[in-house]
Amino acid sequence: MKVTVERAQLLKSLGHVHRVVERRNTIPILGNVLIRAENAKLSLKATDLDLEVTETLAAETGTAGSTTVPAHMFYDIVRKLPDGAQIVLEADGDRSVLAIRAGRSRFTLQTLPESDFPDLAAGDMTHAFSLPAADVKRLIDRTQFAISTEETRYYLNGIYLHSAGTAKAATLRGVATDGHRLAQIDLALPSGAVGMPGVIVPRKTVGEVQRLIEDNEAEVSIELSQGKIRFTLGNVVLTSKLIDGTFPDYGRVIPQNNDKELIVDKKDFEAAVDRVSTISSERGRAVKLALSAGKLVLSVTNPDSGSATEELEVEYASDALDIGFNSRYLLDIAAQIEGEVAVLRLADPGSPTLVQDKDNKGALYVLMPMRV
């Protein structure tokens, strides 16, 4: 194999694929990236057996061929080569090394045969549709924070993607929850997604897709089946296994009859929660919201360090109410509100609270209260 490629292109592509490779691997081949040169193209592929990323870039292919090299070391070498360098990659079939040349720099890397490299064969995909990259990014941005990190409840370790709504107003819905808070967002249902199975897209996959979206104007092609999902963004193809589990009936958690409405300026509210929570303990993190007509008092009491209070003018005309929340969760949700005004619908100190953007009904958030 002999191929010449421009450093900037190779670095960008390696940046996309090498992230999938875990730093510590019990199986040596999983630490490698597969390089294949043919037809004036160079393709790079990396996998962790659950997730596979492939990217193709233009190159001068002298001799077609393929091999695998340590992903992180290869990336570091290319990163440290000078800007504008032309990089020559050469592998002799008999010797298990890849030679890397650029200007006066010479490197050789140990290789492993391509035949050892696992293939995450996708099989037949039952549904295929496209979404604007901006919509995919928004769906991930608005739900990702609520994905559970608790490995025992593995079925919550991802975003539940499914079709919802009514026949007249069908939506593609993303939901994530960790039991303390829930995030839900609806997009118009693309035609190819009608009748799709509900799938749970793993946290790592979601994070990689989010990082791969560099142009919000682009289109993202999505194909899925009961067990796999594939995202295609330009020259990058990401294939992932899905979480094999049943997502809980999240609809039961979303309050329908919360009759107390609190309307706040999002920025003022976020800043006030942030300020008073400076006092809160790492363990407790509780902030108390004391509501009365037209007024909200935020307070934190920490027996070890002191207390803090802040008062905000708000729109609130219901009965007085004291309720507590985890300040970090409250800030996470406030950060998702896209408009300037947030609406909180409350019931009582022990019931979940519904948070929405005043203008945008596409997303909603549920937050469980804390005792304060």
Side-chain angles (χ1 to χ4, degrees):
M1 179 182 90
K2 186 175 182 183
V3 60
T4 306
V5 63
E6 195 200 346
R7 173 195 174 265
Q9 280 189 303
L10 182 58
L11 183 64
K12 185 179 175 187
S13 298
L14 271 175
H16 292 156
V17 300
H18 93 289
R19 283 195 304 252
V20 175
V21 178
E22 299 290 349
R23 288 268 176 196
R24 289 191 179 86
N25 270 307
T26 48
I27 308 168
I29 195 75
L30 294 182
N32 282 17
V33 59
L34 171 64
I35 307 167
R36 179 178 285 123
E38 59 188 359
N39 305 331
K41 284 191 167 42
L42 180 69
S43 78
L44 306 167
K45 185 197 278 188
T47 185
D48 66 359
L49 294 182
D50 290 321
L51 179 62
E52 175 187 281
V53 176
T54 307
E55 180 154 359
T56 310
L57 61 154
E60 287 177 35
T61 46
T63 314
S66 55
T67 188
T68 80
V69 291
H72 291 288
M73 192 169 284
F74 186 32
Y75 174 73
D76 283 342
I77 289 169
V78 174
R79 187 170 57 83
K80 291 175 182 179
L81 287 170
D83 275 347
Q86 290 290 319
I87 300 173
V88 180
L89 308 174
E90 198 166 1
D92 184 341
D94 304 334
R95 292 166 57 233
S96 54
V97 294
L98 175 76
I100 303 166
R101 299 200 312 273
R104 296 181 181 180
S105 303
R106 299 279 185 281
F107 298 88
T108 57
L109 287 179
Q110 294 293 321
T111 63
L112 289 170
E114 182 206 356
S115 54
D116 293 355
F117 200 83
D119 184 26
L120 196 65
D124 290 336
M125 297 293 194
T126 55
H127 291 74
F129 52 92
S130 288
L131 284 173
D135 282 357
V136 177
K137 193 164 178 16
R138 185 165 168 259
L139 185 144
I140 293 172
D141 285 348
R142 298 284 166 258
T143 51
Q144 189 180 31
F145 73 95
I147 295 175
S148 174
T149 54
E150 212 181 302
E151 297 304 329
T152 50
R153 300 165 83 191
Y154 65 94
Y155 49 86
L156 297 181
N157 294 164
I159 293 176
Y160 180 45
L161 200 62
H162 58 298
S163 57
T166 59
K168 278 187 179 174
T171 61
L172 178 68
R173 179 175 291 173
V175 180
T177 182
D178 61 4
H180 303 290
R181 63 249 169 106
L182 176 144
Q184 172 187 306
I185 183 164
D186 285 339
L187 303 171
L189 187 73
S191 57
V194 175
M196 67 176 262
V199 298
I200 308 171
V201 187
R203 187 194 316 113
K204 184 174 177 180
T205 304
V206 163
E208 285 307 319
V209 171
Q210 187 186 40
R211 283 195 284 259
L212 287 170
I213 295 173
E214 290 162 353
D215 174 13
N216 280 348
E217 301 299 311
E219 283 280 311
V220 179
S221 297
I222 300 171
E223 298 161 85
L224 55 84
S225 64
Q226 207 79 47
K228 302 253 173 72
I229 189 163
R230 183 191 289 133
F231 297 86
T232 306
L233 303 89
N235 297 325
V236 188
V237 180
L238 181 151
T239 308
S240 170
K241 290 180 181 173
L242 295 163
I243 292 175
D244 183 14
T246 305
F247 202 78
D249 179 8
Y250 63 90
R252 298 206 334 248
V253 183
I254 299 171
Q256 303 297 330
N257 304 313
N258 286 11
D259 55 348
K260 297 178 175 65
E261 188 177 79
L262 164 66
I263 298 173
V264 292
D265 179 287
K266 177 238 170 154
K267 278 188 176 159
D268 290 351
F269 179 67
E270 197 173 10
V273 172
D274 193 27
R275 279 193 289 272
V276 296
S277 66
T278 312
I279 293 286
S280 67
S281 67
E282 273 300 310
R283 200 179 69 245
R285 292 187 180 276
V287 57
K288 179 171 143 189
L289 278 60
L291 285 156
S292 54
K295 190 170 81 170
L296 165 64
V297 178
L298 298 147
S299 61
V300 171
T301 305
N302 181 349
D304 300 328
S305 56
S307 62
T309 61
E310 184 155 344
E311 192 176 304
L312 290 176
E313 280 184 25
V314 295
E315 288 181 46
Y316 183 76
S318 301
D319 299 341
L321 173 72
D322 288 2
I323 189 167
F325 295 108
N326 178 310
S327 57
R328 187 164 57 84
Y329 293 169
L330 204 51
L331 285 170
D332 281 347
I333 287 177
Q336 306 312 318
I337 301 295
E338 294 168 85
E340 292 177 6
V341 179
V343 180
L344 286 79
R345 298 186 206 285
L346 309 108
D348 57 64
S351 299
T353 292
L354 186 67
V355 186
Q356 279 176 297
D357 199 307
K358 191 179 180 190
D359 308 319
N360 185 345
K361 300 291 185 253
L364 64 83
Y365 309 95
V366 179
L367 185 56
M368 298 302 287
M370 276 178 90
R371 248 196 229 101
V372 285

